[in-house]
Amino acid sequence: MRSVRKALRAGELEKDTYDRLVCGECEKPLKTENDPDEIKTVRICPDCKSEWKEIR
């Protein structure tokens, strides 16, 4: 699982006009999976099921 920052630099993720993260492949907004016991947030594409981690 790659980080959101690295994926943005590599072109795997993009930001739309409202600064929401969008999958570069599917062009769908990412969903958030937030576990309160973890310090990271997992961002998931609803179509291709790719995952990226984001440190809170």
Side-chain angles (χ1 to χ4, degrees):
M1 184 177 350
R2 294 183 66 174
S3 72
V4 170
R5 286 184 178 186
K6 287 181 182 179
L8 281 168
R9 282 189 225 122
E12 293 176 22
L13 294 178
E14 300 171 0
K15 287 193 174 186
D16 65 2
T17 55
Y18 301 106
D19 276 343
R20 294 178 294 203
L21 290 172
V22 177
C23 181
E25 240 178 79
C26 309
E27 298 181 1
K28 298 281 184 174
L30 300 181
K31 303 292 181 190
T32 303
E33 188 175 282
N34 193 1
D35 185 7
D37 295 333
E38 297 283 327
I39 60 169
K40 68 181 179 189
T41 300
V42 178
R43 306 296 300 238
I44 304 169
C45 177
D47 285 351
C48 65
K49 305 295 184 208
S50 297
E51 296 182 348
W52 297 273
K53 66 182 174 185
E54 183 175 39
I55 302 296
R56 292 187 257 162

